[in-house]
Amino acid sequence: MGRIADAALRLLSDGPAPVEMLARQLQDEGTTRARDPIAALRRALRDDPRVLDLPDGRLASLDQALAGLELTVVVDGRAAVERRVDIEPDLAPLALLGLGPALDLPAGVRAGETVAVRIDVPAEGALTVRAVTPVEARPHDEAALLDAVGAALVALPGDDGWAVPVVAHLGAVVATLAADRSDLLRHPGRPLREVLSDGGFEAHLAWVGEPGTDWMDMTSDEVEALEDEVGRLLVAERPAEAAALQERLLDVLRRHLPGRVPVARRRLARALARAGRPEDALAALVGNETDDPEDWYEATVIASRRGDEIRARRWAESGLARLRPGDDEHAAVARCLDDLAGDLDAQAAFLRARVPLEGIEADADGAGWLAAAVARIPRSYLVEVLLEEVGRLLGPDELRALIDAAADLGDAGRDLCAALGRVLAGASGRRARAAAGPDRRPAPPVLSALLDAHPAMAWSTLWEDAADQRQLIVGVGKESGRLAPLVVLIDLDDMDGAVKDAFFLPDMVEERIHRELLRPMEEMGLRCPAIPVGVAVGQIDGGLRRTAALGWELPSERHQPVLARIRRQILLPRGIAG
């Protein structure tokens, strides 16, 4: 993790040492030339999981502390069936090595048998796991453990004069004891939980406390700590580690707080998807044919983002089928599922229309086919994409001929011209608008929405959450109350407020924006409250002007005509020339 930290751990491999002595040794060997070597050492070791702080102020190596440690656990009926035993509390020090929440059992181990776990190489998580005959008490080891626990449970006086109950992390207590006493806990003895119970203490999960401790509060505290750590890992772009920790959290919830399992399961699925394990994410959601519509919705989102439209459409139907009339609890997810299913159908219609587009002729037949194809696409954002393709495929002369042919087709042709006039730029757009007729508003709601698209809602990240980059989301108002999200990344550090990139997402109901954009951002530590639309549009306009001055090209322009869409859907409806 760093030159100073690695050198300090090398020195600690012989046993604990005072920080002053370590700093002096590192200075003598030239590892650090800092004026204050003690401060430099403390900075290097801050939050290093390989280092233990002993109660007397000395430092110890976790590897040295746990090497050769041997702990035991009695296999209960559940563990025997699942072939896995929980590491907490009897094997609690394993969690310090990132192992758990459960450990695989050797073949043939039966309920009631005792298993010994020896830590061979802590840094590699190398273990020896074997069944052993029932073990007897080791008085010397047990007395030292009870003394260490008692010293860790120093109660502080409360405001009312009564002692405030405290708890200690059992794994840390054992590791601290083992670091200072290399003769302890190196042979199989009674399980930690049994020793603690006989000594007048209680163990719960990874914690040890006095009898009567409110373990439900402790469980809630541990769950909240794990949730915070998962969020921190996601913010740090470490989704694989976040998913592993979320799996541990989910195991704790299943045993102690089952009411919180569904939300945690969906958060695990999102973490797995971000970690590049989409199939594991989907299995976590729908592997057991869940009856929770929220699980089917989450699975639909993950599948659709993978481009797996077939399973996404099937799972949307599965979620909708599990909704009952008058189910107010799931009203929001019902709207989301219905919207997702509708969008998947619209995308299928779009793809069918797109296939013959390459061969379109700029005549009456071509105009008639295009007008019919547009009428069959039930989402305005997809009509817009189709007409952008027309503008890309046909040259100016062909566009003029197509527009003239469409103008002779009656209302359907003039509706098509109005839509082309909204999408096409320059002379082609002007000709299409003239062919449609002054102020024509097509009767089909989808085409009307294309003409009337405007910024309707906006959200922004907070400066205190991300000082270097602001993320804006502007919801463009579309048909049936849906919004097409524009996501804008404004670089406040290297580009002085210019737009670094921007892209449009498919339109969706507002509930989906909160669930699929805003909530995941908040889980990553990026709060995104609503802001006035005018403020957001002004920031986008100013950012794009700086982008143009820098000569920066938006990476998304290689895939979407983002700037053209921003001009016609964001800036022009607000009276900004762009």
Side-chain angles (χ1 to χ4, degrees), residues 371-544:
V374 164
R376 287 193 294 268
I377 298 176
R379 294 284 174 112
S380 59
Y381 85 92
L382 291 169
V383 170
E384 184 174 28
V385 174
L386 189 72
L387 298 184
E388 287 170 345
E389 289 276 312
V390 171
R392 182 181 63 83
L393 290 170
L394 301 183
D397 293 340
E398 292 174 305
L399 283 174
R400 182 168 59 250
L402 182 72
I403 291 167
D404 291 344
D408 295 332
L409 295 178
D411 288 343
R414 286 190 290 274
D415 286 348
L416 173 61
C417 288
L420 286 167
R422 178 67 167 176
V423 173
L424 300 178
S428 297
R430 291 192 294 272
R431 188 179 191 90
R433 290 191 291 275
D439 301 324
R440 181 177 184 82
R441 285 294 179 268
V446 169
L447 295 186
S448 293
L450 177 61
L451 269 62
D452 295 332
H454 62 283
M457 301 186 72
W459 299 265
S460 173
T461 54
L462 302 176
W463 182 87
E464 53 263 36
D465 290 344
D468 59 337
Q469 179 174 275
R470 176 179 298 120
Q471 295 190 38
L472 292 174
I473 299 173
V474 176
V476 178
K478 292 298 188 73
E479 69 275 11
S480 303
R482 287 190 295 271
L483 300 168
L486 165 67
V487 181
V488 181
L489 311 179
I490 297 181
D491 191 307
L492 301 173
D493 194 0
D494 297 329
M495 298 176 65
D496 193 28
V499 174
K500 187 174 185 178
D501 204 1
F503 52 89
F504 281 87
L505 296 174
D507 68 15
M508 57 186 73
V509 293
E510 186 182 343
E511 288 95 336
R512 285 183 58 199
I513 293 180
H514 285 277
R515 288 164 173 260
E516 297 175 29
L517 291 179
L518 303 183
R519 189 183 300 169
M521 289 173 65
E522 188 170 346
E523 287 182 353
M524 294 176 58
L526 294 172
R527 294 165 293 172
C528 204
I531 63 171
V533 171
V535 171
V537 173
Q539 292 178 353
I540 293 171
D541 179 44
L544 286 175

Side-chain angles (χ1 to χ4, degrees), residues 227-243 246 267 270-272 274-275 520 523-525:
E227 288 174 340
D228 290 344
E229 180 64 10
V230 170
R232 187 188 69 79
L233 291 170
L234 290 173
V235 170
E237 295 294 335
R238 294 157 64 183
E241 295 173 63
Q246 186 70 16
R267 194 181 190 195
R270 290 194 292 273
L272 289 169
R274 287 190 59 198
E523 287 182 353
M524 294 176 58

